[in-house]
Amino acid sequence: LGAILERAKVKAGAADVVLIGADKGAVTSDPQSPGPINFDRGIPLAKAKADESLLAFSMNGEPLTPSHGAPLRAVIGGWFGMAAVKWLTRIVVTEKPHMGFWNVFDYATWQRKESGPQLVPITAQEPKAIITSPGLNDVLPAGKPITISGLAWAGENAVKKVEVSADGGKTWNAAP
C-alpha cells in the first residue's frame, strides 16, 4: 500500500487513507446508516505507508478467493480485521481524519477526553494471551511440577511481560 501511495505522489497535509470495498448495504439497527453505504475504513496516512500495510491479491501462492476478498483486499498488520477491507474498489486520500459510518459508529469505542466522552475508531489489537497446555479439562498429578505453555501477542506493540497465577489471582509469577 505504501508503494502505491508513494507512486500516487500524495500531497503534503494528507491525513487519512480511505479503503473502500465493493460490499454495500443499509444498516437498519441503531444507529442507522443514511441509506445503502459501502464498507470503508479510514486509516492514518503513516499507518497506510507502514511496511505491514499491504494490498493482497494472492494468499499462499494462489489467487485470492472471493471469500477472502478477491480480487484485491487490504491487510493492515497489527490492527483488528475490520481494517482489512475486502473487495477493494477505491483508495481515497483525505486531508482530514475519515468520519465514515464504520469509523465513527460501528467500529469505535467511547474514550474519556478533556472535552468529554468521544467515540474513537478501533485500531491496534489489544494485548492477548492464551494458555495452550495444560488444557481446560486436563487432570494434573498432585504435588508434581508441571509446565505451563501458551502464547502472548500485542498487535503492533511488544509484549512487556506475562504473569501466571495458580491460585485464582491471589499471587502472580513471572513467566518466561
Side-chain angles (χ1 to χ4, degrees), residues 6-160:
E6 196 68 34
R7 251 186 116 170
K9 296 182 174 34
V10 173
K11 293 178 186 175
D16 265 12
V17 175
V18 183
L19 306 168
I20 303 169
D23 46 338
K24 185 175 191 174
V27 178
T28 56
S29 59
D30 189 29
Q32 293 185 2
S33 65
I37 56 174
N38 288 79
F39 183 80
D40 64 19
R41 192 71 185 172
I43 59 174
L45 179 62
K47 181 64 176 176
K49 286 183 166 183
D51 289 343
E52 68 271 10
S53 296
L54 309 172
L55 296 177
F57 56 86
S58 67
M59 182 171 68
N60 298 326
E62 299 291 326
L64 279 182
T65 61
S67 64
H68 283 106
L72 187 66
R73 80 172 294 162
V75 178
I76 310 301
W79 280 30
F80 283 103
M82 77 285 275
V85 177
K86 293 181 176 180
W87 313 292
L88 199 58
T89 59
R90 290 178 57 209
I91 300 170
V92 178
V93 179
T94 63
E95 294 177 348
K96 298 179 186 174
H98 180 59
M99 300 301 287
F101 183 88
W102 307 106
N103 276 60
V104 176
F105 294 112
D106 216 38
Y107 294 110
T109 59
W110 287 101
Q111 290 185 4
R112 293 177 192 263
K113 301 284 184 179
E114 287 183 23
S115 60
Q118 183 178 1
L119 274 170
V120 176
I122 296 170
T123 57
Q125 293 179 8
E126 298 292 325
K128 302 275 185 194
I130 185 171
I131 293 175
T132 57
S133 176
L136 183 59
N137 295 313
D138 287 356
V139 177
L140 305 175
K144 295 195 178 192
I146 61 159
T147 299
I148 299 172
S149 300
L151 302 165
W153 63 98
E156 56 190 22
N157 299 305
V159 174
K160 293 181 181 169

Side-chain angles (χ1 to χ4, degrees), residues 158-176:
V159 174
K160 293 181 181 169
K161 67 179 177 178
V162 175
E163 295 178 316
V164 178
S165 175
D167 58 10
K170 293 176 185 166
T171 61
W172 292 88
N173 295 298

